[in-house]
Amino acid sequence: MTVCTSLAEADLDHLEGLISDDSDALRAFNAFYVLLARHRRALDSSRFRVVYLRHAARFTSVPMRAVLDSDLALLDPMGPNLETALRHAASALTAYPDNLALVAHHARVLAEYGWSGAEVAASELLAALAQVERAVEISPEQARYRAVRAQLAALTGDFDTALASIQRAMDLEDSAQFGYAVRVVEYHRIRADIVLRRETQAIRSGLRETAERLEASVKEQVQRVAQESRAHEQAEITRLRSETLGSLGLLAAVIAFIVTSTQIAKDLPLHDALRLLAGLAGMLTLVFTAFGAVFGVGRLTRLVLPGILGVALFALAWLSG
């Protein structure tokens, strides 16, 4: 990285000449890697792609080429192909598990993949975070490692560590180095993402708590209404049962009264029997009219005529004597 950031424009053509030199395959690949790293660090995707497509086929057997394949996917003109980039980064890390730069690269791609909304297993995030923590311990002055740790920590929900790590990454960057402005802009973007994710999670937590409270409140109200409905229903059933029993008792008494009166009238003279029956009819009419008024069987205006009829019959029986 030190070599690639110190290259002048005139050195780039010399490096590409070394790539084409078949006399030393390792040196050719190293030149290829450094040249692409320089373009990648400068975010010059067009020059990266041109050089890659021109020479990549010569290095298919070199495991480290997977890193360049991953970078190419990240610089896709249609937008970063994070899934492809992550697959190549994992392949490179498998070949070189102790390479701290590859650890950081894989962790960064994994973090970006998680930031994009893709499902990343928590165990995978924690494993990558542990590797990056180790890289930070070995190279504490490497700003890039701290930036990656910030992204991973935010994905696990540890926003305090994430913000502290990205701030430390910005503090460690040397403004005199090549690409400083590009890296600082990226760090600010990461910090903005962390803050946005923290606020979004806080809003979601608040909405979840509100929804739970509303659910509990609605459930309580439904239970209360159900209990009140059951109590009202039971009261109505009790009232109807009482009224029914009362009606049946009244009806039984009326029937008994009618039967008794009829038996008595049978032994009386016709005039007295008619008086008795008229009085009985008037009394029964008044009783049922009063019953209808008390239990709300009909509107009061409809009970006036039966009441008058009952009074008239009773008065007729009384006065005809």
Side-chain angles (χ1 to χ4, degrees), residues 7 10 29 52 97 105 108 110 113 154 190 192 196 204 231 241 254:
L7 292 174
F29 179 78
Y52 177 91
H105 176 76
R108 175 177 173 272
L110 180 65
Y113 190 57
I190 292 172
L196 177 61
R204 285 177 179 171
R241 184 181 298 160
V254 168

Side-chain angles (χ1 to χ4, degrees), residues 10 20 31 37 52 60 71 81 102 122 148 161 179 184 186 252 254 265 288 293 309 312 321:
S20 303
Y52 177 91
T60 55
D71 284 338
N81 187 338
L102 290 184
V148 174
T161 298
V184 169
E186 183 179 5
V254 168
F288 280 108
L309 179 60

